[in-house]
Amino acid sequence: MIDKPEPEDARTPRFLIMDNTPLSLLGTIEALDWLFEPGCDVMITDMVIAEAIREPGESRDQRRNARAYVAGWLKSNRERITVLATVEGQRYEREMRLWERAGKPDDLRPDWSDRGERSVFSAVQDLKAALAQTEEIVVIMDDRDGRDAVRAVRADIALMGTRTFIRWMAEDFGIESAATAWQVIRMATADTADEGEEEDPVYIRRQ
């Protein structure tokens, strides 16, 4: 079972938010519906969506089938998810429009490095104000620098990587296919998927 805080310190998930990597990895096995299993509000930032469905570039891992699945899932579940507008996403959209008007020169292509993680961090900062005393935010994030940033937020947060989220689905929600899902993802990503940290999930509490 996923390790949880002591009963008197337990929290109920209120929001579930993730960066691009979990969205993409779950997309490779067409398992994004698992995000609804905890029964809380599923939140996705505009920047994470942009990262998940964009063309990666000729030298990048294409995974077109996974991106098509993610795009279709986002469209078919638009009434079940909340898309969060962020400063990072708005800035990126503005830069992309200017780049396209300039004729898409390679040397001026907007950089998207760490933008999804930064948008999630700012969203968590905003969402924490809506938490009741017994509620928490579930953050699914694999990026190590992004996790360090989230750890600094003073709010009730359960921070976990994609692998731990999948284990949560298998052990606490009884999804049989989740038991072997990580092995399938490793094969689909040529063993490049992050195995996660030893301390996972991480529970962050108000001080």
Side-chain angles (χ1 to χ4, degrees):
M1 301 290 286
I2 294 293
D3 294 332
K4 296 182 176 66
E6 294 300 317
E8 65 270 16
D9 202 25
R11 297 291 188 273
T12 300
R14 168 71 186 281
F15 303 114
L16 185 150
I17 188 168
M18 76 296 302
D19 70 352
N20 172 53
T21 300
L23 199 65
S24 298
L25 292 179
L26 292 173
T28 64
I29 58 172
E30 300 190 359
L32 288 177
D33 281 350
W34 294 355
L35 296 173
F36 298 124
E37 289 294 328
C40 53
D41 296 335
V42 176
M43 326 289 282
I44 307 178
T45 69
D46 49 4
M47 190 64 231
V48 167
I49 289 176
E51 286 189 338
I53 64 178
R54 72 172 186 262
E55 285 292 329
E58 291 300 324
S59 62
R60 304 297 183 102
D61 185 355
Q62 298 299 305
R63 293 190 213 166
R64 288 192 171 88
N65 290 340
R67 285 204 316 281
Y69 165 76
V70 171
W73 182 86
L74 290 168
K75 182 178 180 180
S76 62
N77 289 284
R78 57 184 175 273
E79 302 299 327
R80 301 180 68 188
I81 62 178
T82 299
V83 178
L84 301 174
T86 64
V87 171
E88 198 67 47
Q90 294 166 353
R91 183 183 298 119
Y92 178 74
E93 184 179 357
R94 182 169 60 251
E95 291 176 8
M96 285 295 292
R97 287 199 303 266
L98 293 173
W99 178 65
E100 290 168 357
R101 290 176 185 172
K104 299 183 178 181
D106 289 340
D107 60 330
L108 295 180
R109 186 185 184 100
D111 181 21
W112 51 64
S113 300
D114 300 324
R115 284 184 139 170
E117 290 79 10
R118 289 198 296 268
S119 73
V120 170
F121 174 77
S122 65
V124 169
Q125 291 276 37
D126 293 337
L127 291 172
K128 70 178 185 178
L131 290 178
Q133 187 173 3
T134 59
E135 295 176 334
E136 69 182 3
I137 304 170
V138 176
V139 180
I140 312 171
M141 181 176 286
D142 294 308
D143 181 82
R144 303 302 175 98
D145 290 338
R147 289 171 66 94
D148 287 344
V150 171
R151 283 188 176 98
V153 179
R154 295 183 63 184
D156 291 301
I157 297 170
L159 173 65
M160 65 182 70
T162 306
R163 187 181 187 185
T164 298
F165 174 77
I166 290 172
R167 184 161 62 91
W168 188 27
M169 294 296 101
E171 296 181 359
D172 286 20
F173 294 92
I175 299 177
E176 292 184 5
S177 58
T180 56
W182 186 250
Q183 290 88 331
V184 176
I185 286 175
R186 288 184 61 188
M187 291 177 60
T189 60
D191 286 340
T192 60
D194 194 327
E195 294 284 335
E197 300 184 27
E198 183 175 347
E199 186 184 8
D200 199 13
V202 177
Y203 293 99
I204 305 164
R205 296 284 175 238
R206 289 195 182 97
Q207 298 179 7

